[in-house]
């Protein structure tokens, strides 16, 4: 049974909150477990019911506890997006800070490439090959460049065999798509040879994954994203300066 201790601090509700979180982290309370009632917690912790209610409400809002009226208070089982949704919200708040978003993307995708080199299934490897072949076929017009680029990166994240990383990448790419659509289109149209260079970089990443070369896959992805980051920031700065004039 979870061991609660009397609260001996002025910030009562905060202390209650910390105790409950600590019990969950230590495994004394597990997802699906039912907590003591508000009255029982008040007596066990030797605090007012108002303080208990305040702490429970905060944990309910944070998605840690679930208050079922008429049934009781339960430790909430984390859903598939329990981590993603708060992070997505933070990233949306940061969407005007382009460099922050691109740096987060780089951190995720470099590791995704390394993991994919170790864990990629034959089916996903074939999908990466298909995307690269379609990129080559698209070189004369570049009409599908953006779509194929997105498909390659999301497939690679999936190939990492880490569902959390894959969902994070989907979130990042969605936000990048919202904030960089015009910037990216300007880059592809204004810079000679960009589409071919991007094809070659994606092809080389695919080949490193196919060869199960973790370090090479990571290095190639880092270099690819670094170049993309530099170009997108340059064009974004140009757009800003044009607005100022």
């Amino acid at each position: 049974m979870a061991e609660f201790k009397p609260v001996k601090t002025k910030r009562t509700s905060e202390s209650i909150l910390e105790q409950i979180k600590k019990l969950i982290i230590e495994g004394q309370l597990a997802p699906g477990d039912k907590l003591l009632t508000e009255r029982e917690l008040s007596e066990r912790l030797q605090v007012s019911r108002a303080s208990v209610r305040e702490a429970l409400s905060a944990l309910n809002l944070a998605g840690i506890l679930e208050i079922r009226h008429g049934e009781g208070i339960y430790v909430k089982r984390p859903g598939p997006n329990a981590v993603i949704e708060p992070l997505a919200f933070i990233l949306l708040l940061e969407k005007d800070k382009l460099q922050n978003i691109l740096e987060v993307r780089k951190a995720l995708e470099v590791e995704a490439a390394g993991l994919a080199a170790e864990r990629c299934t034959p089916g996903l490897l074939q999908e990466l090959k298909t995307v690269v072949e379609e990129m080559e076929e698209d070189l004369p017009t570049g009409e599908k460049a953006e779509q194929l680029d997105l498909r390659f990166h999301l497939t690679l994240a999936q190939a990492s065999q880490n569902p959390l990383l894959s969902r994070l990448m989907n979130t990042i790419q969605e936000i990048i798509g919202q904030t960089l659509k015009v910037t990216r289109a300007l880059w592809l149209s204004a810079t000679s040879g960009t589409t071919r260079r991007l094809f070659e970089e994606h092809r080389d990443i695919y080949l490193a994954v196919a060869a199960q070369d973790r370090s090479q896959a990571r290095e190639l992805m880092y270099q690819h994203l670094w170049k993309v980051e530099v170009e997108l920031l340059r064009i974004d700065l140009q757009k800003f300066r044009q607005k100022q004039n």
Side-chain angles (χ1 to χ4, degrees), residues 104-239:
V104 170
R105 179 194 180 193
K106 190 162 58 183
L108 290 172
E109 291 214 55
V110 169
E111 183 60 20
L115 291 173
E118 294 179 333
R119 304 173 180 176
C120 191
T121 63
L124 287 170
L125 190 62
Q126 180 58 48
E127 170 65 10
L128 287 171
K129 182 182 179 183
T130 300
V131 176
V132 169
E133 290 171 347
E134 289 183 25
M135 282 180 167
E136 188 171 20
E137 291 170 7
D138 187 57
L139 283 174
T141 62
E143 289 178 358
K144 299 192 293 181
E146 186 174 349
Q147 173 194 335
L148 291 169
D149 181 276
L150 177 63
R151 191 168 136 207
F152 181 90
H153 286 275
L154 293 182
T155 303
L156 194 69
Q158 191 179 352
S160 74
Q161 304 300 323
N162 184 318
L164 181 57
L165 195 155
S166 186
R167 289 201 296 272
L168 277 168
M169 273 307 306
N170 273 276
T171 301
I172 291 277
Q173 291 288 3
E174 185 178 337
I175 293 166
I176 287 174
Q178 292 171 10
T179 57
L180 291 183
K181 195 168 185 65
V182 175
T183 300
R184 197 175 188 282
L186 282 170
W187 174 40
L188 289 173
S189 61
T191 311
S192 176
T194 297
T195 306
R196 172 160 287 280
R197 180 170 65 77
L198 288 174
F199 154 69
E200 290 171 353
E201 289 175 6
H202 286 90
R203 179 201 60 200
D204 290 347
I205 292 166
Y206 155 72
L207 290 172
V209 170
Q212 299 182 313
D213 190 334
R214 175 187 172 89
S215 61
Q216 179 74 346
R218 285 174 59 90
E219 177 61 25
L220 289 170
M221 180 60 80
Y222 178 87
Q223 292 298 329
H224 165 64
L225 293 176
W226 178 78
K227 293 172 190 173
V228 171
E229 183 180 326
V230 168
E231 288 299 313
L232 292 178
L233 287 169
R234 179 180 62 80
I235 291 172
D236 208 53
L237 182 60
Q238 285 178 352
K239 283 166 54 185

